[in-house]
Amino acid sequence: MKLRFRFRITLAILIVAYVCVLGAVLLNYYDSKQMLEQNYIQSLDEKMSIQAEKFDETMQEMYQNVRHISHEPELTEQIHTYLNGEQSYSDGVKMSQVLNRLLTFDDLGSTLYLYLPQCDQVFSSMEYYAVRDAEDGAVLFWLEEMDNPFTPISCINRFVRSSERVYAYPHPIYDEDGSELGILCITADERLMYYALMDSMNREDTELYRILLPDGMICSAKNISEIGEWTEGLEEQQKNRMNAAVGAGDILFVSVEAPFTHYRMQCQSDLNHLTNTLRSRLFTLIEVSMVGFLFLLVFAVVLSSRLSRPLEELAQAMDQVGSGDFSARVRSQTDDEMETLREHFNTMVSRMDELMEQVVHERTQKKEAELNALQYQIRPHFMYNTLNSIRFAATLQRNQKLAELLGAFIALLEASIQRQGAFIPLREEIKLVKDYLSLQAFRYFDCFETVYDIAPEAEDCYMPCLLLQPMVENAVFHGVDTQKNDNRIVITAWLESNTLYVSIQDNGEGMPEKLSEDASADDRRRLTGIGLQNVRQRLQLYYGDLAEFTISSEPGKGTTVLFRLPASHDPDVYKL
């Protein structure tokens, strides 16, 4: 099935328009998605920044409380009493009661611990767990982490049976003399802290919140099994206050740093759920645009069918003309540009019909001319045969001069009739000139002398046949004085810079400048039918502007004709 021209154009326009609309929809979708993600990240940043501030405020309160307790005289006095006393369990209970009384931060399951290295015991503010011996390594992490007093420790509390995970601030206690008496440590329950800050923000299917250590390890999460795992992109997180990255499956990770503790609040979110509504709208728009495209396609088919009828009629008429039927015409008329096309087509076909009739007529005339030419060819051959018979008779009668003249005349006649339009070497052209001058010498009783100065390299150059003869004829008619015996004609030819120069010079009386222009009309010869003007036209037709000839003459000194022709060794280069 061939698609109509206008339908193809309409279809191409519809496809381009549909692609542009689809591109605009997709671009709008991705711009909207990017803007939605940016706004969502900003919203998460604001929410987690608030939680990070709350986390810092809680840790600051814990830090200030343990620092204040470490300077309490009551605690120092109770430590001295315990160390100097019997160190009984009842004394340990008294120490626990002092710790409970001094602990003012009582949120998030907070507990105050005291470690005395002199007796390697740990005291607690909890009544049911007042004192116990320190296990190996139980307080070692306190000592290691005390170099950064503002960042709390996230660890497992080994001093309770449940081994709960806590946030802890250790702080040393010094005696009046500056010696270290022990280490205080205040703790807050990790689960209670998470529930207070993050649990209300979690969404099962879209958002999960975590608390990260400064080194990137998860220290608090809804799923306890995640605690202790490491997060990716830690280096980037440490560089920025807020860090956002999209992982595999369009999972968004956003973390915000708490400035005091350097902990990070992290949210893991599924962007697919965020953009579901936007994606649904995109699919709806694509479906609507496809329906619209199909509707426009049907409309284009119907419209192109109506609009292409004149074109179909024109195409049929063109096929008829192509098959040789010049009577075909386009009949339908419209009010648009097709009417102009119809009129021009009909006019063109009519003109072609006339031209074909003219061509047929000219071909008929040409055939008739060819038949006449074939008949006329018999006459020159009859003349050649007759002249050759006379020449042979002169030879038999030993009239050598008459035989030579007849031979020269036959050569000229043959060149004049059979070589019109041909290119011949300069050598043959000079031979024809010699034949012609031998006839003229007989006519003028040998009253002039001919000198030939032909360069050997110029003899093989091709030139139009009988180009020099009219100029030699003028030299004889205008340059030879029968009353004088010193008449002279000099013919010279030479090559220079790929140009063939041929000069014909006589020593006659010369002729006025105007005579060189009129000689072609007044001195036409029956032998060749070529005049000066004819020579100019032949040079123009063969060579264009590449060749020229000039005639220079002075009264009393003679006339010189100079040809300048392109040097050619191929007879077909300038042939018409």
Side-chain angles (χ1 to χ4, degrees):
M1 177 181 175
K2 293 184 178 179
L3 297 179
R4 298 183 179 91
F5 175 72
R6 293 193 179 185
F7 175 71
R8 292 200 300 269
I9 293 179
T10 306
L11 181 61
I13 294 174
L14 287 177
I15 292 176
V16 171
Y18 179 73
V19 171
C20 293
V21 171
L22 186 61
V25 170
L26 292 176
L27 182 62
N28 181 66
Y29 166 74
Y30 285 110
D31 287 344
S32 300
K33 179 182 177 183
Q34 186 177 9
M35 183 179 298
L36 185 62
E37 291 176 356
Q38 291 176 352
N39 292 338
Y40 179 65
I41 293 173
Q42 185 177 358
S43 173
L44 291 178
D45 182 16
E46 294 174 355
K47 289 195 300 183
M48 288 192 295
S49 295
I50 294 175
Q51 302 308 107
E53 290 178 1
K54 290 182 179 179
F55 182 82
D56 272 358
E57 289 175 359
T58 302
M59 294 298 106
Q60 286 178 9
E61 187 176 353
M62 289 175 59
Y63 173 75
Q64 291 172 359
N65 193 192
V66 71
R67 190 165 179 264
H68 176 73
I69 294 173
S70 66
H71 294 88
E72 281 290 336
E74 181 182 359
L75 179 60
T76 304
E77 183 180 351
Q78 185 63 36
I79 291 173
H80 282 293
T81 302
Y82 183 81
L83 293 176
N84 296 327
E86 297 180 358
Q87 298 183 2
S88 62
Y89 181 77
S90 60
D91 292 336
V93 171
K94 291 180 182 180
M95 181 72 75
S96 175
Q97 292 174 349
V98 172
L99 293 175
N100 187 45
R101 186 168 54 253
L102 294 176
L103 179 62
T104 59
F105 180 79
D106 55 357
D107 294 334
L108 305 176
S110 59
T111 304
L112 186 63
Y113 295 93
L114 172 64
Y115 169 68
L116 296 179
Q118 296 86 344
C119 57
D120 199 24
Q121 289 180 326
V122 177
F123 303 88
S124 171
S125 62
M126 295 183 294
E127 295 179 359
Y128 61 89
Y129 195 60
V131 59
R132 63 175 293 183
D133 293 335
E135 299 178 358
D136 293 339
V139 295
L140 182 61
F141 65 92
W142 290 4
L143 304 177
E144 292 176 350
E145 298 294 337
M146 285 174 58
D147 293 337
N148 189 2
F150 301 113
T151 300
I153 304 170
S154 175
C155 60
I156 296 176
N157 190 356
R158 299 183 182 181
F159 301 110
V160 293
R161 293 179 181 178
S162 60
S163 297
E164 63 185 12
R165 183 169 288 275
V166 296
Y167 297 103
Y169 267 116
H171 197 281
I173 301 176
Y174 297 102
D175 200 355
E176 294 178 355
D177 58 359
S179 60
E180 185 176 302
L181 291 176
I183 298 176
L184 273 176
C185 184
I186 187 171
T187 64
D189 187 81
E190 174 268 330
R191 288 286 87 188
L192 295 178
M193 173 69 78
Y194 183 81
Y195 294 145
L197 294 179
M198 300 294 188
D199 191 62
S200 61
M201 300 170 60
N202 280 321
R203 298 177 185 175
E204 285 293 335
D205 55 346
T206 58
E207 296 177 356
L208 292 176
Y209 289 86
R210 305 182 183 94
I211 300 177
L212 309 180
L213 292 175
D215 60 3
M217 188 178 72
I218 299 175
C219 63
S220 184
K222 184 175 183 178
N223 187 358
I224 300 178
S225 62
E226 294 182 354
I227 298 177
E229 296 181 357
W230 296 87
T231 58
E232 299 179 357
L234 171 63
E235 295 79 5
E236 295 296 329
Q237 291 181 5
Q238 292 176 333
K239 293 179 182 179
N240 305 317
R241 182 196 68 82
M242 190 276 292
N243 181 69
V246 179
D250 280 346
I251 302 301
L252 174 65
F253 295 90
V254 179
S255 63
V256 176
E257 184 185 52
F260 179 74
T261 60
H262 299 294
Y263 276 56
R264 301 190 76 90
M265 310 294 114
Q266 186 192 64
C267 174
Q268 174 183 325
S269 177
D270 186 1
L271 290 179
N272 290 322
H273 185 273
L274 179 67
T275 58
N276 275 342
T277 303
L278 192 61
R279 192 180 298 108
S280 299
R281 291 182 179 178
L282 172 65
F283 292 150
T284 301
L285 286 175
I286 293 177
E287 292 173 357
V288 171
S289 62
M290 290 182 64
V291 172
F293 176 77
L294 293 176
F295 172 77
L296 292 176
L297 184 61
V298 173
F299 177 75
V301 171
V302 176
L303 182 62
S304 63
S305 178
R306 296 184 59 184
L307 294 178
S308 61
R309 288 176 186 172
L311 281 176
E312 292 178 353
E313 185 176 351
L314 177 61
Q316 293 176 359
M318 292 175 66
D319 290 338
Q320 293 178 5
V321 173
S323 62
D325 183 8
F326 291 95
S327 64
R329 298 291 185 273
V330 179
R331 307 300 178 185
S332 62
Q333 297 183 355
T334 58
D335 295 331
D336 54 10
E337 66 277 3
M338 288 300 302
E339 178 65 20
T340 303
L341 186 60
R342 182 189 69 84
E343 293 178 355
H344 286 301
F345 176 78
N346 291 339
T347 303
M348 179 187 67
V349 173
S350 299
R351 179 58 179 163
M352 289 175 63
D353 193 14
E354 295 175 359
L355 291 176
M356 287 299 295
E357 292 179 356
Q358 182 178 351
V359 169
V360 171
H361 179 68
E362 290 177 353
R363 286 185 177 179
T364 302
Q365 290 183 336
K366 181 178 180 182
K367 288 183 178 180
E368 293 177 355
E370 290 175 353
L371 291 175
N372 293 332
L374 291 175
Q375 294 177 358
Y376 292 150
Q377 284 181 357
I378 300 176
R379 298 176 182 176
H381 287 288
F382 173 74
M383 295 175 64
Y384 300 153
N385 294 334
T386 303
L387 290 174
N388 279 319
S389 298
I390 297 173
R391 179 186 176 191
F392 182 68
T395 303
L396 291 177
Q397 295 179 9
R398 298 187 181 186
N399 193 339
Q400 191 64 31
K401 185 63 175 179
L402 179 59
E404 291 177 358
L405 292 176
L406 285 173
F409 178 70
I410 291 172
L412 287 174
L413 183 62
E414 183 179 5
S416 174
I417 294 176
Q418 295 184 353
R419 294 190 176 184
Q420 290 292 332
F423 276 71
I424 61 175
L426 177 62
R427 181 188 306 104
E428 296 183 14
E429 179 72 5
I430 296 298
K431 175 66 170 56
L432 294 176
V433 170
K434 290 180 178 179
D435 290 338
Y436 173 75
L437 288 177
S438 65
L439 292 175
Q440 297 302 323
F442 178 77
R443 174 183 176 182
Y444 289 99
F445 303 103
D446 293 324
C447 68
F448 64 88
E449 177 188 6
T450 305
V451 178
Y452 298 93
D453 184 9
I454 309 300
E457 64 272 13
E459 291 182 347
D460 294 328
C461 293
Y462 281 84
M463 62 187 304
C465 180
L466 295 177
L467 183 67
L468 303 181
Q469 188 273 336
M471 302 298 102
V472 174
E473 186 177 2
N474 285 332
V476 173
F477 289 163
H478 300 287
V480 174
D481 186 356
T482 58
Q483 304 299 323
K484 297 168 53 178
N485 292 325
D486 59 349
N487 299 298
R488 190 178 189 187
I489 298 175
V490 180
I491 300 177
T492 309
W494 71 95
L495 276 178
E496 182 179 338
S497 301
N498 293 325
T499 301
L500 174 63
Y501 292 88
V502 181
S503 172
I504 302 170
Q505 182 180 6
D506 64 70
N507 61 347
E509 295 182 356
M511 57 181 178
E513 183 177 355
K514 183 173 179 53
L515 184 59
S516 64
E517 299 177 359
D518 297 338
S520 62
D522 297 339
D523 296 324
R524 293 179 180 173
R525 298 301 164 201
R526 297 176 183 176
L527 183 60
T528 62
I530 298 176
L532 297 181
Q533 187 64 26
N534 182 272
V535 171
R536 288 194 180 94
Q537 292 176 355
R538 291 174 68 197
L539 289 178
Q540 181 65 29
L541 289 174
Y542 285 129
Y543 299 108
D545 296 333
L546 300 178
E548 64 176 347
F549 84 100
T550 58
I551 300 176
S552 58
S553 180
E554 295 183 16
K557 293 185 178 181
T559 302
T560 301
V561 177
L562 178 63
F563 286 89
R564 295 182 181 88
L565 307 177
S568 172
H569 293 82
D570 186 353
D572 297 325
V573 172
Y574 297 101
K575 188 175 181 181
L576 296 178

